[in-house]
Amino acid sequence: MTLQECEIDENKPLLKQLAQLPPDQYQAWLLRTSRGKARFFESDALEAVTAVKWWVVPLLWLPVAALLAVQASAVLPLRPLAALAAAGVLLWQLIEYSLHRWVFHVVPSHPHMILAHFLMHGNHHKYPSDIDRLVFPPLPACLPASIIYGTLRSCLPQAPAASVFSGVLVGYVAYDCLHYLMHSGHLRGRLRTRHMHHHYADDTVAYGISSPLFDILFGTQQQKAKSTS
């Protein structure tokens, strides 16, 4: 099947069309970056869930982080609480790196995997200028948030788990807001440069968005990144 036979009409809802693509044709289509935005679903209600303004993320999650920290402060002194929250920020950066490298950049081999991949991350590489899809929608975000907190709670008492998770949430908010600022053109400098390198030059490097720490540790930092944008 040729690429022409698999041509996608980007003026129509995409998911039904993408389900018909063989994996190699999906990858070829995904690599051809498009400007603007596309429609995913025929349903207006489902379509609305996929788009969110950047400010919704800090508005929702920072109060949750603050509440967890206040609850933990009733049990823990300030220094241990702050140290655990800082560990939570680092934990988020590891989660961010791991998801981006080993989940979001997996090559899908089945129609259902293609749809999941496109919804999770493929759409962002195809439409990197779609500013209403630069942050993760709150409703789907509740699932990984619950898994992370549940895992922490199974390993730690309530107050330390709450402290670490408050740091995870702060790290997540920083990640999503920085990601928005990079693609909207409001942030310049090395972080943006390395992320644009990931998008437009080599998507096998620079998996960390909010920090290059784990790219350095795992050997996926791009070479000779410039500080201009």
Side-chain angles (χ1 to χ4, degrees):
M1 187 175 290
T2 66
L3 185 59
Q4 287 72 23
E5 290 172 324
C6 293
E7 198 63 50
I8 296 295
D9 185 348
E10 296 183 29
N11 295 313
K12 296 179 180 180
L14 289 174
L15 290 189
K16 282 187 176 181
Q17 300 181 73
L18 294 179
Q20 308 303 315
L21 283 186
D24 58 335
Q25 299 296 334
Y26 169 70
Q27 288 296 120
W29 175 79
L30 204 63
L31 290 174
R32 294 181 294 159
T33 301
S34 297
R35 292 187 174 275
K37 61 174 63 181
R39 187 176 180 93
F40 294 178
F41 297 97
E42 292 182 1
S43 164
D44 290 339
L46 289 175
E47 188 69 12
V49 173
T50 70
V52 60
K53 299 298 184 183
W54 72 269
W55 47 263
V56 172
V57 172
L59 187 66
L60 174 65
W61 294 113
L62 287 182
V64 176
L67 178 61
L68 289 167
V70 169
Q71 290 177 340
S73 70
V75 177
L76 296 173
L78 179 59
R79 286 186 179 180
L81 192 159
L84 288 166
V89 173
L90 289 175
L91 175 60
W92 166 256
Q93 291 179 0
L94 176 59
I95 293 170
E96 170 193 316
Y97 176 92
S98 300
L99 286 174
H100 195 184
R101 181 176 181 180
W102 290 301
V103 178
F104 294 165
H105 278 273
V106 69
V107 177
S109 58
H110 184 277
H112 290 151
M113 290 182 65
I114 287 174
L115 297 184
H117 179 270
F118 183 76
L119 286 171
M120 285 192 303
H121 194 62
N123 74 85
H124 176 53
H125 272 265
K126 180 66 177 178
Y127 302 96
S129 299
D130 185 352
I131 62 171
D132 288 333
R133 291 191 174 104
L134 292 175
V135 299
F136 206 65
L139 188 59
C142 289
L143 177 59
S146 299
I147 293 171
I148 295 168
Y149 181 72
T151 302
L152 289 170
R153 191 64 186 86
S154 69
C155 300
L156 298 170
Q158 194 278 332
S163 301
V164 174
F165 191 60
S166 69
V168 169
L169 291 178
V170 170
Y172 165 67
V173 170
Y175 149 77
D176 250 354
C177 290
L178 284 168
H179 192 221
Y180 172 83
L181 292 171
M182 290 173 193
H183 281 276
S184 63
H186 292 94
L187 180 68
R188 306 286 178 174
R190 290 186 177 181
L191 277 179
R192 182 179 188 272
T193 298
R194 66 190 303 277
H195 188 56
M196 294 303 108
H197 181 92
H198 172 83
H199 269 279
Y200 298 108
D202 184 0
D203 66 1
T204 66
V205 297
Y207 294 107
I209 289 88
S210 60
S211 167
L213 174 61
F214 288 99
D215 283 298
I216 294 169
L217 293 178
F218 288 113
T220 52
Q221 176 78 331
Q222 82 278 19
Q223 299 299 312
K224 298 181 180 180
K226 297 177 181 179
S227 61
T228 60
S229 57

